[in-house]
Each structure stands twice: as structure tokens, then as C-alpha cells.
Amino acid sequence: MSGGLDSSVTAWKLAREGRPVVGLSMLLWDHSGTEAHGRCCGALDLGDARRVAQQAGIPHYTLRMDREFRDKVVDPFVDDYLAGRTPSPCVRCNTWIKFDLLLERARRLGATRVATGHYARILQGPDGPELHTAVDTGKDQSYYLFELTGEQLAASLFPLGELTKAQVREIAREAGLVVAEKGESMEVCFVSGGVREFVEAEAAARLPGAVSPEPAVLVDARGEELGTGQPYYRYTVGQRRGLGLAAPSPLYVLQIEPERNRVVVGEESELMAPGLRGERLHWIGPQRTGEVEATVKIRSRHPGVPALIRPQGDGRVEVDFAEPQRGITPGQAAVFYQGTRVLGGCWIAGRSDGSDRSVR
């Protein structure tokens, strides 16, 4: 129970169905100096979770998991930016915290399943539980759950998967829940200011001297120097604003080269790629070694593109798109769908067109 609308309605629904329910909240990050809602680990939101548990008539406990959260989510988040990648901390939180460590803690309390407010569905298939998209496609969160295993799905419940957000809010209103009019939570719950400022502060505290504030050299795809800008870790692939370069047509970030403190920029057409290279390939259910046709989403709100998935062994994979796609971003997830079913996914390492745009 994060103290948000969705997890609150989840707890309320299960309690009203007569199931034995215990509300668990996680203290993941110290937001004691930030008095604001929308932080899934902030004091105000944990207070809301306790009040909803009282309304639902269920016991509520707060589990301190800040050390594990730092190890599994926050430090890798910072490391990714310093390595020139754009991380997806919500996927890591689901993989390592909510459906691993939290599930383990819940079992210690005698629970057999963990229910969350995710908008996704678990359906029984011939090879076991399958992950599917939510009925409310505008709120679907299956992308962030692609690393779950069949065993984790079997121990999970997503009671909101068949509902729309409007229906969920109406349930909260009818029940009189204190969070009925609460807005959406923040995208990165542990960052209260700017992401880049957070990365700099964390890196300075954990890795003193390892991060250079030197401006990055901005070059084109041929290696010609165009100017200097901010430190390289302040850029992301596809970025247009803030480059500070005068050019006849808009320029975008094509690639980040931390080891050379360089950022490669180019025109929008140069962002297009016919495929991607992936690593840490994961399948939900039976492992697949042959080629697979699927729809691939390269960002959470990407509409998806038909593609051919070609496993290469050792967790590596090549993905060939039916049509070139814009902004293949290292550090983001590529998730594979067949219809509403999530087959699995991988982490994007780079483009797979034989031109990763490394500049000589």
C-alpha cells in the first residue's frame, strides 16, 4: 500500500470480498524533508495508507526496506546515467523489490500472495500464468512487469486489471476512502528535484572524484566538433532541447560516449534505426531459442512495432523492426507482446544496424 488511489482500492476490494488481507507499505527512501504527496515512500503517503487500512478494517504494517532499495534501484539508477544510459527504475523496483523482497517478507507473515494496484492482468495459460495488458490500455503497466517469472505471477494478484481508472476512482468515492480525489504519483518516487541534480549529488556522495563536471564535447556523426555543452550525463538519447547549438535544422542527441566525454548529435532522420541490440533477455514462461515474431515496445508509451526477435545466446538478442523506429535508448526496456500477452523482453544495449554511431 503506497498510499495512492490504486493500491488503496485494491486493498478495499479484497477486504470487501471477504479475503484475509494485511496491508503492507514499504519505507524505501527518506523523504522526511519533503512534505508532498505523490512520493510512494513519503511520510504523507504512508499516513494515507494507514488511514485507508483503518477504513478497510485490515491490519497495516510498514516495512523498512531503504537499504535494499538503494542497492537494487537507486545506485543502479545513478550508475546508468554515469554510463550514458537512461534507466527505468520502475522496472527494477518491480523486479527486485515489490515482487521479490516484498513477496518474501509477506510470506514470512503467512501471506500466500501479494496484491498490488498495477494495471495489468494475470491469465492462466497452457504453460502456467501469463502476463497480459490491462483492460484500460491508457493506464496499462505491463511494460514495467516484463521481468517477472511464472512463479512470481502465480503468487501475485492484480485486482484492477479488468477495471478502468475512472471505475477505480468511483469505487474509492463510493467507499469514502480518504484518497478518493488523490492525483497520480510522481514518476520517479525517490527524486524530489531534478533528475540530473539528483544524479550529481548521489555520485558526489558515493563516488567522490569519479564524476567530472567538465562540459562534454558535442560532435556530429562524422566526429566533427560542433561545440561544448553540459556534462555528458545530463543528456539522453533523443533529446532536442538544451543543446545550445546553432544549426539550419533541429539537432538531437544520437549517442552518449562517457569514456570520451562526448555527445554525438544529428538530425532527426539519424535517430531512426531498423533494429536494436538487447541484453539480459527474459522470457515469462518457456524459454525460446528460435526466432519469434512479436510486437515490441521500446518505451512505456511507445505504440509498439511488429518485429522479429532473434535470441543470440548468453542473454543477448537482436530485434529487427518491420519499420525503422526513432530513438533507440540504451538503458530502456524493450518488451515483447503477442496480442495482449507479454512474452518477455530485454534491456536495450544499442542499435543493431551495424552502425552504433561510435565515432572514430
Side-chain angles (χ1 to χ4, degrees):
M1 296 181 69
S2 67
L5 173 68
D6 298 326
S7 60
S8 296
V9 171
T10 295
W12 175 268
K13 276 179 79 326
L14 292 175
R16 286 299 167 270
E17 290 170 7
R19 305 201 192 198
V21 180
V22 174
L24 297 181
S25 295
M26 299 179 291
L27 181 60
L28 300 176
W29 194 251
D30 183 9
H31 274 301
S32 56
T34 305
E35 288 297 313
H37 284 94
R39 309 273 170 210
C40 69
C41 34
L44 293 179
D45 295 292
L46 293 179
D48 286 342
R50 284 193 294 272
R51 284 187 283 275
V52 169
Q54 291 172 350
Q55 289 182 289
I58 63 174
H60 176 267
Y61 304 98
T62 298
L63 307 178
R64 181 158 191 168
M65 302 173 71
D66 52 337
R67 181 179 59 81
E68 296 90 341
F69 187 69
R70 170 175 283 282
D71 290 344
K72 296 295 187 182
V73 179
V74 179
D75 286 350
F77 176 84
V78 173
D79 292 342
D80 272 346
Y81 270 108
L82 298 183
R85 296 186 291 266
T86 302
S88 184
C90 294
V91 176
R92 290 192 63 89
C93 185
N94 286 328
T95 301
W96 296 104
I97 304 298
K98 292 177 183 173
F99 296 95
D100 185 18
L101 295 173
L102 179 62
L103 181 57
E104 177 190 330
R105 299 279 184 92
R107 283 171 169 160
R108 288 186 205 167
L109 293 173
T112 57
R113 290 187 174 186
V114 166
T116 72
H118 284 97
Y119 286 86
R121 293 177 296 158
I122 300 171
L123 304 179
Q124 201 61 33
D127 297 310
E130 299 174 351
L131 178 63
H132 286 255
T133 57
V135 167
D136 189 339
T137 56
K139 289 296 179 182
D140 176 58
Q141 294 172 306
S142 60
Y143 173 92
Y144 299 103
L145 301 167
F146 85 92
E147 283 195 308
L148 299 190
T149 65
E151 181 183 1
Q152 288 171 319
L153 290 176
S156 303
L157 289 173
F158 300 145
L160 307 188
E162 301 285 348
L163 301 175
T164 66
K165 184 75 173 192
Q167 289 173 319
V168 170
R169 192 171 294 280
E170 188 57 33
I171 291 172
R173 286 169 176 159
E174 292 178 356
L177 299 185
V178 294
V179 297
E181 304 304 326
K182 197 169 185 178
E184 299 286 355
S185 60
M186 304 299 289
E187 187 171 346
V188 183
C189 71
F190 53 90
V191 177
S192 57
V195 169
R196 292 163 178 80
E197 290 75 16
F198 177 86
V199 169
E200 289 174 344
E202 284 293 311
R206 184 164 59 91
L207 305 165
V211 179
S212 171
E214 270 187 54
V217 177
L218 306 180
V219 301
D220 64 18
R222 296 180 302 276
E224 294 184 14
E225 186 172 334
L226 303 177
T228 57
Q230 304 178 65
Y232 72 86
Y233 50 80
R234 283 178 163 257
Y235 295 92
T236 58
V237 171
Q239 178 180 331
R240 173 185 171 186
R241 297 182 183 278
L243 298 185
L245 295 173
S249 58
L251 296 177
Y252 298 81
V253 174
L254 305 180
Q255 183 170 318
I256 301 163
E257 300 180 335
E259 66 284 354
R260 304 175 79 172
N261 195 27
R262 297 202 308 187
V263 175
V264 184
V265 302
E267 296 184 1
E268 186 172 18
S269 61
E270 297 178 87
L271 279 173
M272 306 301 288
L276 64 81
R277 293 178 289 109
E279 57 192 8
R280 288 146 57 198
L281 174 64
H282 172 76
W283 298 106
I284 300 174
Q287 300 300 296
R288 300 162 187 249
T289 56
E291 295 181 348
V292 177
E293 292 184 356
T295 296
V296 176
K297 294 177 66 171
I298 57 174
R299 289 177 290 278
S300 62
R301 294 303 168 202
H302 184 247
V305 59
L308 181 66
I309 300 160
R310 299 185 289 113
Q312 304 293 301
D314 297 323
R316 296 175 296 108
V317 64
E318 300 274 345
V319 178
D320 303 325
F321 305 134
E323 298 287 342
Q325 296 299 298
R326 181 185 187 279
I328 307 303
T329 307
Q332 291 287 288
V335 180
F336 314 148
Y337 294 82
Q338 282 184 346
T340 63
R341 183 184 176 187
V342 180
L343 301 180
C346 67
W347 292 94
I348 298 173
R351 301 161 62 110
S352 67
D353 57 0
S355 171
D356 63 2
R357 301 201 181 278
S358 293
V359 182
R360 298 295 182 267

